């Protein structure tokens, strides 16, 4: 088997506050192979963006990476200087931010932004050669009339097209890894899946490893190769899409799947997981899911379950479900 394009091991990020250090994410472990798509799924506040930002080396004070390793094509990123990281960003690892305005400058024409991104890594590139690359990149992400679009401004693009534009820019330098954080202005799930489908094809062709961050399991259900489910700052279950969707072993994953509307159950009431996600300042002892879990016992309340192999995937639970059980 070849080497993972991205390997994250035991990653933890904390924020310094007046009440002391708050762990936003911890024990984060996942890998993505070249050309593969990993769906990083979880509710709001579960730590998806922090995981993406930490992978990019973009955690600013009062936040910091407390421990862990992030390797791109085998090379460690944690501990590199800002100047060294800047050289890696765009060319080796690239991110599409949840807030599109972070990536796209509203006052610059699309061609100016794209040529700038190219020249950041290839200073001597001629304008003509750069324009050719930009046109190809826009066409590759399914933006119609690229010649015309290149002369426009980001606000002239619809939500879906703006996301495609951010992806085109992020992919310009053919990075080994692309992390796409779902835009805040929740796009239609159908558009999200469509964009992901196109980017997935592109990633497969270029060998880019893709991490697709979303709070909606149905966006990545049909398109990701593997899924990592986050809850309260931890990855609770990681496995192939088929394993996770058809046979979840973590009670939280099972609850999440039960709450996704399916064609078969149209009109039926969605099963909601009772209770709410814990906040960082009031994290329960032991398993963070125990206040909401039907299977919780004394061990669950006392000890954090470490991730371990269960039925071909990784599950962080003291009492993983058995095959086809329900939460
Ligand atoms: N600058 C910060 N200072 C303190 N806490 C923060 C900061 N940024 C994020 N957090 C906390 O870290 C946790 C994880 O946040 P994160 O943004 O990664 O969630 P998310 O899964 O991306 O949620 P969403 O789906 O809403 O984007 C949250 O509890 C959040 O409040
Ligand atoms: S460790 Fe216990 S509380 Fe946590 S998910 Fe598993 S069974 Fe439920
Ligand atoms: Mg987020």
């Amino acid at each position: 088997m070849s080497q993972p394009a991205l390997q994250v091991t035991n990653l933890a990020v904390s924020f310094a506050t007046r009440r002391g250090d708050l762990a936003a994410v911890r024990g984060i472990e996942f890998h993505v192979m070249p050309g593969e798509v990993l769906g990083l799924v979880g509710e709001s506040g579960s730590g998806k963006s922090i995981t993406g930002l930490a992978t990019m080396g973009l955690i600013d004070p009062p936040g910091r990476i407390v421990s862990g390793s992030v390797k791109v094509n085998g090379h460690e990123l944690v501990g590199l200087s800002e100047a060294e990281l800047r050289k890696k960003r765009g060319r080796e690892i690239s991110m599409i931010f949840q807030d599109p305005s972070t990536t796209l400058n509203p006052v610059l024409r699309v061609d100016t932004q794209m040529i700038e991104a190219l020249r950041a890594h290839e200073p001597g590139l001629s304008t003509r050669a750069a324009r050719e690359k930009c046109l190809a990149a826009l066409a590759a992400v399914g933006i119609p009339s690229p010649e015309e679009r290149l002369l426009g401004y980001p606000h002239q693009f619809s939500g879906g097209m703006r996301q495609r534009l951010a992806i085109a820019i992020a992919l310009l330098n053919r990075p080994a890894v692309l992390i796409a954080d779902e835009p805040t202005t929740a796009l239609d799930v159908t558009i999200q899946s469509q964009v992901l489908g196109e980017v997935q094809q592109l990633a497969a062709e270029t060998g880019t490893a893709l991490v697709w961050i979303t709070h909606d399991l149905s966006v990545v259900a049909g398109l990701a190769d593997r899924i990592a489910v986050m809850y309260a700052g931890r990855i609770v279950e990681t496995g192939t899409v088929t394993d996770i969707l058809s046979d979840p072993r973590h009670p939280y994953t099972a609850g999440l799947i039960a709450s996704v509307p399916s064609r078969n159950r149209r009109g039926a009431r969605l099963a909601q997981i009772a209770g709410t996600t814990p906040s960082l300042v009031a994290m329960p002892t032991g398993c963070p899911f125990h206040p909401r879990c039907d299977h919780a016992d004394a061990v669950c309340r006392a000890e954090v379950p470490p991730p371990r192999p269960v039925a071909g995937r990784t599950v962080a639970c003291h009492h993983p479900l058995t095959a086809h059980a329900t939460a």
Side-chain angles (χ1 to χ4, degrees):
M1 208 160 93
S2 57
Q3 168 175 262
L6 175 63
Q7 174 92 55
V8 174
T9 316
N10 197 28
L11 188 66
V13 175
S14 283
F15 287 94
T17 71
R18 266 174 285 160
R19 303 193 208 192
D21 269 10
L22 292 181
V25 300
R26 47 190 147 177
I28 301 294
E29 305 235 352
F30 65 88
H31 72 274
V32 198
M33 301 303 286
E36 197 181 48
V37 180
L38 174 80
L40 188 59
V41 183
E43 289 170 285
S44 186
S46 57
K48 307 179 297 294
S49 295
I50 295 295
T51 300
L53 292 168
T55 305
M56 291 288 291
L58 287 172
I59 299 289
D60 295 320
R64 69 189 168 94
I65 293 182
V66 182
S67 66
S69 155
V70 175
K71 285 185 178 163
V72 173
N73 286 338
H75 297 115
E76 183 60 66
L77 299 193
V78 174
L80 292 186
S81 69
E82 183 50 36
E84 288 167 321
L85 278 171
R86 215 172 297 134
K87 277 190 230 153
K88 305 252 180 202
R89 283 187 214 122
R91 192 164 52 181
E92 288 180 39
I93 181 162
S94 206
M95 182 161 177
I96 300 157
F97 299 93
Q98 192 167 2
D99 177 0
S101 63
T102 318
T103 320
L104 302 170
N105 187 331
V107 299
L108 286 184
R109 237 169 55 180
V110 170
D111 56 351
T112 314
Q113 301 190 39
M114 294 186 85
I115 293 171
E116 210 171 84
L118 279 167
R119 286 199 176 133
H121 296 290
E122 217 180 319
L125 190 69
S126 75
T127 304
R128 195 194 161 121
R131 281 186 63 86
E132 288 302 316
K133 284 193 179 196
C134 297
L135 288 173
L138 293 183
V141 294
I143 294 180
S145 336
E147 297 263 3
E148 215 173 287
R149 289 311 208 161
L150 213 46
L151 303 177
Y153 291 85
H155 70 84
Q156 294 164 327
F157 289 64
S158 67
M161 285 298 160
R162 210 175 299 139
Q163 198 190 15
R164 285 188 170 88
L165 175 59
I167 291 166
I169 295 176
L171 285 175
L172 270 177
N173 294 294
R174 297 197 160 218
V177 177
L178 174 66
I179 301 170
D181 201 347
E182 179 179 68
T184 343
T185 45
L187 291 175
D188 191 283
V189 168
T190 321
I191 295 178
Q192 243 338 289
S193 302
Q194 204 180 336
V195 176
L196 172 55
E198 284 157 12
V199 178
Q200 179 200 34
Q201 265 184 13
L202 212 60
E205 283 162 25
T206 59
T208 297
L210 202 61
V211 178
W212 200 270
I213 295 178
T214 177
H215 68 274
D216 194 326
L217 195 59
S218 62
V219 168
V220 287
L223 293 161
D225 297 292
R226 283 181 305 114
I227 289 180
V229 180
M230 287 198 80
Y231 184 78
R234 295 177 187 273
I235 292 179
V236 296
E237 185 163 4
T238 319
T240 65
V241 171
T242 321
D243 278 349
I244 301 274
L245 294 182
S246 63
D247 183 22
R249 296 304 180 97
H250 193 285
Y252 175 67
T253 317
L256 206 59
I257 290 166
S259 69
V260 170
S262 83
R263 216 170 290 151
N264 315 334
R265 280 189 276 125
R266 185 160 288 173
R269 256 188 62 188
L270 300 184
Q272 294 284 346
I273 307 172
T276 53
T277 320
S279 87
L280 295 188
V281 291
M283 202 48 81
T285 56
C287 171
F289 190 57
H290 85 73
R292 302 172 79 183
C293 183
D294 292 341
H295 308 268
D297 65 7
V299 179
C300 303
R301 288 186 281 273
E303 288 168 34
V304 176
R308 56 196 173 96
V310 175
R313 82 294 299 273
T314 305
V315 184
C317 173
H318 292 300
H319 312 296
L321 304 173
T322 48
H324 305 294
T326 48

